[in-house]
């Protein structure tokens, strides 16, 4: 009995001791976490203060005082869990040099910007900034070589070092940055060759105004950039700048490199053989061309005589089909204008002719015959028909749209609608120049736009519709262009665009946005069973998603709002955004832009002006997309709102206007002559 009581007492003592030990361990753990958190905060604060002592001898950063909450200091744009993640000190006249040791202690930084100050010295080793995504050190007085440590920051997307005194080579190790999106190194003193950057993510590149030399690599990535990315490097050559590279390699001082005498002799012999072979080959080609020309001339003469006899015997005039055969528009087959029988098929209608629309268009220097002989390239296919790039023998290029249904509407209705569309002339509309009408053929002729579509600008080559959001200044410019074009359409009573989406916006010669495919919905047979694609359906207002419904100007306003959301997010509307996100659309847009761009001032880096303009654009988009058409404004009101925002933006211009996402930089690196997606 005594033993039993003793054992119970010991057991109770052990349990009590275990509980006390557990509470003690928990208390120690809590103290250690609190202490370590305080150390982390203290270390970031101390690192910032040490950095200030190096870069701010004039005490411009007066709010940086020990004991204050450093997350509220000037330039500390964002803190997460007590750690600095965005440090943006722009236009504050900082001087001195960067302290690498202090910076590397801020190892949670995502965005670092010291642009447009007076910092000097070499850019220090930044290998400790393992989480850095955006680096802006442009427009300072940094000198020395390109900091090779940058190549080890594998999360880095944006590098802007332009406007400094950097020298030496651009390191090949930049190829290790597989997420690189922007690389701006212009206005330095860099030498050597352009590295063969091959990151498919690279969309913006500028190495102008340096001392680079040699051939620009023509890989699939670098070939997309034009001469504006490489200006004023006198010893550069390559297809991007239309400068042929000579056989002698160019050294940085401009002198050709020399080799051994035997090597030179060997090269000379090869050169002589190549020249002789080329001359012989050229002579043979000329002989073949002369023979071919004579044969074609003879055949053409015989064909003309046969056609003349046929016309005289029948007493009526006909013409060939416009099929695309062997890459040409003229000839039989199924292509532009090709009927099932291999040619035009109309009864007692006389000669099909090209009807020019505008007064000035009637003096166009091409005819139906020129169009029939043109070579053709398919640009796109849609519910209304197929679109082709037509290159005539004279070199003149037009865009030809072959309508799918040549019997709907009736001929009189078709001509009436074409008369209305043909009279529309506006800088933000792709003009309809001419049309062709026959029993089983209807062709529309437009100007050709080689700079591609707005869809290409936003999404690049991605067919999934996922792209990068554009900078708010670019969104504003595009929005004003599109709204202006829509207002010009809506000024004609009852006329609508009817199919507004990013692939139906083309970029003009000055990269102005121009609407195309407007006013064509009356040419769609309402009894057709073909449904629009998912990417097109949700641009449409809810009341017009049934293709049998007549589109309205209020529906155009809804589509404009959806397109504006696409500009702001880089997301194609594969779902109903309004029903999916509702009143949460503004928060969704901000989260998408923050996630996608990771840029210091584009769009949500804390710059108040940027935030304000983004909010204004969002408000305009939300005004356009109410589910009830009665609650949508007219396009004139929308245009007025956009112009007010743009006027305010020009008055209160700030560092955001100099962001790498601005409109001029966007168009400078846009690939030319892309396929149009109409």
């Amino acid at each position: 009995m005594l033993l039993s009581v003793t054992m119970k007492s010991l057991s109770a003592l052990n349990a009590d001791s275990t509980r006390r030990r557990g509470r003690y361990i928990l208390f120690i753990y809590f103290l250690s976490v609190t202490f370590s958190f305080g150390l982390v905060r203290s270390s970031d604060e101390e690192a910032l203060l040490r950095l200030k002592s190096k870069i701010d001898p004039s005490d411009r950063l007066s709010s940086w005082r020990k004991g204050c909450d450093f997350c509220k200091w000037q330039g500390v744009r964002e803190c997460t869990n007590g750690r600095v993640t965005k440090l943006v000190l722009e236009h504050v006249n900082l001087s001195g040099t960067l302290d690498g040791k202090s910076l590397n202690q801020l190892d949670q930084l995502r965005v670092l910007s010291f642009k447009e100050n007076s910092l000097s010295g070499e850019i220090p080793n930044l290998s400790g900034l393992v989480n850095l995504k955006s680096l802006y050190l442009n427009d300072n007085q940094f000198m020395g070589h390109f900091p090779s440590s940058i190549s080890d920051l594998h999360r880095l997307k944006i590098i802007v070092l332009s406007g400094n005194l950097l020298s030496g080579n651009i390191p090949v190790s930049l190829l290790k940055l597989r997420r690189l999106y922007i690389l701006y190194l212009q206005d330095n003193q860099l030498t050597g060759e352009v590295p063969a950057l091959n990151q498919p993510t690279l969309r913006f590149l500028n190495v102008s105004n340096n001392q680079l030399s040699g051939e620009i690599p023509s890989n699939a990535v670098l070939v997309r950039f034009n001469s504006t990315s490489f200006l004023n490097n006198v010893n550069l050559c390559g297809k991007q700048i239309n400068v042929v590279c000579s056989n002698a390699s160019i050294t940085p001082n401009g002198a050709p490199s020399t080799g051994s005498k035997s090597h030179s002799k060997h090269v000379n012999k090869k050169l002589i053989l190549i020249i002789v072979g080329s001359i012989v080959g050229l002579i043979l080609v000329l002989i073949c061309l002369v023979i071919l020309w004579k044969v074609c001339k003879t055949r053409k003469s015989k064909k003309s005589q046969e056609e003349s006899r046929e016309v005289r015997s029948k007493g009526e005039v006909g013409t060939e089909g416009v099929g695309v055969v062997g890459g040409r528009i003229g000839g039989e087959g199924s292509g532009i204008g090709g009927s099932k029988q291999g040619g035009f098929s109309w009864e007692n209608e006389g000669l099909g002719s090209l009807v020019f629309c505008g007064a000035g268009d009637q003096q166009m220097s091409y005819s139906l015959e020129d169009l029939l002989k043109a070579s053709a390239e398919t640009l796109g296919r849609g519910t209304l028909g197929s679109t082709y790039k037509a290159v005539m023998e004279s070199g003149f290029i037009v865009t030809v749209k072959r309508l799918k249904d040549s019997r709907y509407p009736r001929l009189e209705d078709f001509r009436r609608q074409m008369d209305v569309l043909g009279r529309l002339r506006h800088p933000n509309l792709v003009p309809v120049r001419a049309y062709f009408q026959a029993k089983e053929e209807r062709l529309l002729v437009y100007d050709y736009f080689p700079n591609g579509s707005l869809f290409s600008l936003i999404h690049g080559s991605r067919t999934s519709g996922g792209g990068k959001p554009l900078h708010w200044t670019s969104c504003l410019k595009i929005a004003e262009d599109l709204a202006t074009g829509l207002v010009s359409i809506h000024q004609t009573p009852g006329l609508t665009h009817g199919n507004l989406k990013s692939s139906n916006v083309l970029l003009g010669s000055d990269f102005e946005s121009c609407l195309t495919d407007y006013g064509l919905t009356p040419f769609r047979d309402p009894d057709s069973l073909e449904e629009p694609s998912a990417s097109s359906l949700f641009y449409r207002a809810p009341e017009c998603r049934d293709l049998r419904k007549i589109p309205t100007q209020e529906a155009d306003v809804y589509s404009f709002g959806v397109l504006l959301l696409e500009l702001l997010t880089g997301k194609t509307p594969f779902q109903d955004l309004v029903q999916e996100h509702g009143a949460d659309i503004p928060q969704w847009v901000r989260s998408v832009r923050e996630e996608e761009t990771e840029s210091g001032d584009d769009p949500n880096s804390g710059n108040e002006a940027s935030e304000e303009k983004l909010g204004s654009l969002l408000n305009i988009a939300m005004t356009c997309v109410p589910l009830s058409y009665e609650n949508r404004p007219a396009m004139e009101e929308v245009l007025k709102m956009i112009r007010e925002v743009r006027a305010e933006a020009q008055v209160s211009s700030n560092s955001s206007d100099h962001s790498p996402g601005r409109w001029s930089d966007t168009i400078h690196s846009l690939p030319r002559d892309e396929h149009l997606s109409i």
Side-chain angles (χ1 to χ4, degrees), residues 5-23:
V5 170
T6 303
M7 291 296 292
K8 286 180 181 179
S9 299
L10 287 172
S11 175
L13 284 170
N14 285 335
D16 186 56
S17 174
T18 301
R19 280 195 297 273
R20 282 201 303 270
R21 192 184 301 114
R23 283 195 294 270

Side-chain angles (χ1 to χ4, degrees), residues 84 100 166 236 247 320 467 497 551 644:
V84 180
L166 299 177
L236 272 184
N247 289 330
E320 292 179 332
H497 186 292
E644 287 174 353

Side-chain angles (χ1 to χ4, degrees), residues 175-237:
L175 271 71
K176 294 193 294 183
L177 300 177
R178 302 313 301 168
R179 302 180 182 183
L180 190 60
Y181 180 62
I182 295 174
L183 179 62
Y184 283 168
L185 305 176
Q186 69 269 26
D187 303 314
N188 279 288
Q189 299 171 10
L190 297 169
T191 56
E193 298 183 345
V194 177
L197 301 169
N198 59 4
Q199 295 93 322
T201 56
L202 186 63
R203 293 288 296 279
F204 303 96
L205 172 69
N206 198 336
V207 294
S208 300
N209 301 318
N210 282 286
Q211 300 166 25
L212 300 172
S213 59
E215 182 175 2
I216 303 169
S218 55
N219 59 31
V221 172
L222 291 182
V223 79
R224 296 182 304 183
F225 299 100
N226 61 25
S227 60
T228 57
S229 295
F230 306 97
L231 293 173
N232 299 325
N233 288 280
V234 293
N235 292 322
L236 272 184
C237 61

